[in-house]
């Protein structure tokens, strides 16, 4: 049967696409219908990175995805992040708090946060509370693992939200509360009843900043009492940041310092803000910790009270420590105490014989009670300078006689290199 032109047009219209179904970054289906007189599909918000709130990835540039206030300003690994100066550091001697907290910033950032480069960067961790049938259990700390592929990593909370957190000056200048969700698979627990933990941030024009945590969770959703974990965001450090073109990175294991030093140690090779040190720096300590006086009279040889004594620090598990690039912020004070090992006693001391001009084993081998470490803080300074003075405190001899004063054995740095994870 012959058809006229009107019938042909009707058939084409009947088969024409009148809409589209798409999925956002979270896998949620969305129907997009034509808008306006031109019957065009509006996909701009989909292409820009997702139509739902809390987007922390996507964007037209996969290397620098935009995400509103929380955005990926550049790669710390490639040296695109520079001029990081400390604005706030959590006092680790004070219990962690998840309540609203207002802190005074350490630098003048201007009333519109316009005097410190491109914005503020945050280093955070999560406080994890185990939940068992609705009852709270152990409270522990868990670090973030930023992975755009959202693959779970044992012992970490995996997030697809750009980390470290970067907030633009323009967004802070609005003085509005900015919501920064920590999206991602987390610890990959039940996945049934999930809410991302969130950090709320407000810059106040009086040189202060207010932040608070909004509880997140991952549990089985049991209405009679859920099992899983709750998560709170703890702010450790706030710093300034600026962006720049990527800089060439020093290869792994490049020597930045070699010798014997403590206090201020000037490294050779790092750029002004440590932008080029690969994934961070590795610090190697000398083999021996040394003291130049006796611990007790029983420890010292009769009539020789000015001898030097030393012991091999490998007995305390001390060899090297690593400081991640994200922590190398000018003014940051890094406590690496968790990387050191505590023992009840140490032994195997040697003394320096001036007459023979050499070290000799002390006989009988003295066992001294280990007390503590002192000065386990590494301070990051500008122009490749780090500051450290590490002492090992020993307090008693093997007979239980306490010395007149706790004795510090000085431990120096022998080498500093770059490293790659």
């Amino acid at each position: 049967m012959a058809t006229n032109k009107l019938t042909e047009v009707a058939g084409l219209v009947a088969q024409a696409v009148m809409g589209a179904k798409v999925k956002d970054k979270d896998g949620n289906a969305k129907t997009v219908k034509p808008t306006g007189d031109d019957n065009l599909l509006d996909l701009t918000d989909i292409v820009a990175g997702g139509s739902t709130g809390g987007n922390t990835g996507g964007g037209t540039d996969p290397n620098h995805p935009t995400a509103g206030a929380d955005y990926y300003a550049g790669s710390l690994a490639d040296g695109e992040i520079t001029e990081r100066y400390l604005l706030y550091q959590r006092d680790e001697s004070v219990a962690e708090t998840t309540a609203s907290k207002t802190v005074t910033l350490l630098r003048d950032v201007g009333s519109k946060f316009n005097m410190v480069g491109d914005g503020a960067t945050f280093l955070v961790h999560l406080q994890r509370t185990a939940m068992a049938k609705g009852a709270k259990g152990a409270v522990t700390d868990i670090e973030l693992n930023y992975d755009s592929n959202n693959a779970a990593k044992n012992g970490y909370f995996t997030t697809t939200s750009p980390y470290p957190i970067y907030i633009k000056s323009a967004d802070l200048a609005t003085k509005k509360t900015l919501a920064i969700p920590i999206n991602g698979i987390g610890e990959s627990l039940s996945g049934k009843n999930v809410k991302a933990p969130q950090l709320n941030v407000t810059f106040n024009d009086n040189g202060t900043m207010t932040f608070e945590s909004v509880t997140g969770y991952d549990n089985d959703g049991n209405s009679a009492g859920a099992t899983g974990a709750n998560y709170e965001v703890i702010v450790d450090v706030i710093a300034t940041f600026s962006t720049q073109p990527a800089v060439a990175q020093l290869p792994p294991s490049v020597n930045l310092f070699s010798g014997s030093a403590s206090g201020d140690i000037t490294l050779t090779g790092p750029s002004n803000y440590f932008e080029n040190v690969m994934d961070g720096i590795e610090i190697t300590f000398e083999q021996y910790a040394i003291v130049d006086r006796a611990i007790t009279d029983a420890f010292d040889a009769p009539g020789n009270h000015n001898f030097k004594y030393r012991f091999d620090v490998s007995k305390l598990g001390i060899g090297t420590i690593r400081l991640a690039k994200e922590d190398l912020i000018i003014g940051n004070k890094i406590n690496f105490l968790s990387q050191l090992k505590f023992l009840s006693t140490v032994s195997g001391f040697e003394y320096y014989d001036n007459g023979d001009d050499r070290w000799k084993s002390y006989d009988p081998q003295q066992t001294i009670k280990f007390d503590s470490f002192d000065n386990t803080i590494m301070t990051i300074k500008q122009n490749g300078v780090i500051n450290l003075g590490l002492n090992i405190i020993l307090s008693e001899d093997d007979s239980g006689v306490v010395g007149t004063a706790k004795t510090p054995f000085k431990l120096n740095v022998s080498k500093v290199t770059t490293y790659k994870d």
Side-chain angles (χ1 to χ4, degrees):
M1 180 178 66
T3 60
N4 58 32
K5 294 296 183 182
L6 183 61
T7 303
E8 291 178 0
V9 171
L12 292 172
V13 171
Q15 299 179 54
V17 175
M18 302 302 291
K21 285 188 176 181
V22 296
K23 286 186 178 182
D24 63 21
K25 68 178 184 62
D26 296 319
N28 300 313
K30 180 180 180 180
T31 299
V32 182
K33 294 182 178 181
T35 60
D37 296 334
D38 54 9
N39 288 329
L40 294 176
L41 298 178
D42 184 4
L43 301 176
T44 54
D45 61 342
I46 303 299
V47 174
S51 59
T52 60
N55 177 28
T56 54
T60 55
D61 181 354
N63 294 317
H64 305 85
T66 58
D70 175 18
Y71 77 119
Y72 194 22
S75 172
L76 187 64
D78 290 343
E80 295 179 76
I81 302 297
T82 184
E83 294 181 355
R84 295 185 300 154
Y85 288 99
L86 188 69
L87 291 177
Y88 161 81
Q89 186 164 28
R90 180 175 65 87
D91 184 352
E92 295 184 9
S93 66
V94 178
E96 295 176 350
T97 178
T98 60
S100 178
K101 184 175 183 179
T102 299
V103 298
T104 300
L105 303 180
L106 297 176
R107 298 174 69 89
D108 182 4
V109 297
S111 61
K112 295 185 178 181
F113 217 92
N114 56 346
M115 294 173 56
V116 290
D118 292 325
T121 178
F122 287 68
L123 300 183
V124 305
H125 72 275
L126 299 185
Q127 184 187 85
R128 180 190 194 276
T129 302
M131 302 294 295
K133 297 182 179 179
K136 292 183 177 181
V139 178
T140 55
D141 289 338
I142 186 169
E143 300 297 328
L144 296 181
N145 169 46
Y146 171 52
D147 183 359
S148 59
N149 294 321
N150 207 22
K153 182 179 180 180
N154 187 41
Y156 291 84
F157 186 100
T158 294
T159 177
T160 54
S161 301
Y163 186 77
I165 296 168
Y166 300 100
I167 304 179
K168 293 177 284 190
S169 294
D171 288 320
L172 289 166
T174 65
K175 302 177 179 62
K176 297 178 180 179
T177 298
L178 308 172
I180 314 297
I182 311 297
N183 293 325
I185 198 171
E187 294 185 276
S188 188
L189 300 180
S190 69
K192 294 180 179 179
N193 186 36
V194 178
K195 177 186 175 183
Q198 179 174 296
L199 176 66
N200 288 345
V201 177
T202 309
F203 169 65
N204 310 305
D205 60 6
N206 59 356
T208 67
M209 188 172 286
T210 301
F211 52 85
E212 66 178 344
S213 171
V214 179
T215 306
Y217 47 78
D218 183 352
N219 58 57
D220 58 12
N222 190 333
S223 59
T227 295
N230 290 352
Y231 303 96
E232 302 283 356
V233 184
I234 305 297
V235 175
D236 296 311
V237 167
I238 306 174
T240 67
F241 81 91
S242 295
T243 59
Q244 65 179 11
V247 299
Q249 298 297 297
L250 296 172
S253 303
V254 168
N255 239 9
L256 307 178
F257 170 81
S258 182
S260 176
S262 61
D264 279 357
I265 302 172
T266 300
L267 309 181
T268 301
S271 47
N272 288 350
Y273 301 97
F274 294 90
E275 304 102 322
N276 65 341
V277 293
M278 193 61 72
D279 288 340
I281 59 176
E282 182 175 87
I283 298 168
T284 302
F285 293 102
E286 291 187 342
Q287 181 180 0
Y288 294 98
I290 299 176
V291 67
D292 62 1
R293 65 185 179 87
I295 296 175
T296 65
D297 286 340
F299 184 72
D300 203 1
N304 295 296
H305 295 283
N306 294 319
F307 276 16
K308 292 182 179 179
Y309 296 88
R310 73 180 188 183
F311 69 93
D312 192 326
V313 296
S314 65
K315 299 175 184 296
L316 291 176
I318 300 174
T320 62
I321 60 170
R322 284 185 169 184
L323 304 182
K325 192 173 190 175
E326 66 188 41
D327 293 317
L328 300 179
I329 295 168
I330 306 305
N332 195 17
K333 295 177 173 59
I334 305 168
N335 189 345
F336 54 85
L337 187 61
S338 62
Q339 299 188 47
L340 304 177
K341 185 170 69 175
F342 290 85
L343 294 178
S344 57
T345 60
V346 292
S347 59
F349 290 88
E350 297 178 327
Y351 72 96
Y352 189 75
D353 188 321
N354 291 312
D356 289 346
D357 195 25
R358 64 186 179 91
W359 289 96
K360 294 182 178 180
S361 295
Y362 181 77
D363 190 26
Q365 289 294 294
Q366 191 83 354
T367 298
I368 306 295
K369 286 192 176 182
F370 170 74
D371 184 277
S372 61
F373 295 106
D374 187 29
N375 297 334
T376 56
I377 301 296
M378 176 73 72
T379 302
I380 307 302
K381 298 187 174 183
Q382 202 166 340
N383 301 319
V385 177
I386 58 176
N387 179 279
L388 172 68
L390 177 60
N391 292 328
I392 299 169
I393 309 298
L394 305 176
S395 60
E396 298 180 2
D397 66 12
D398 58 350
S399 65
V401 178
V402 180
T404 56
K406 293 180 180 180
T407 302
F409 276 67
K410 187 69 176 177
L411 183 57
N412 287 338
V413 172
S414 65
K415 185 171 66 174
V416 181
T417 63
T418 57
Y419 76 86
K420 175 69 175 175
D421 276 332

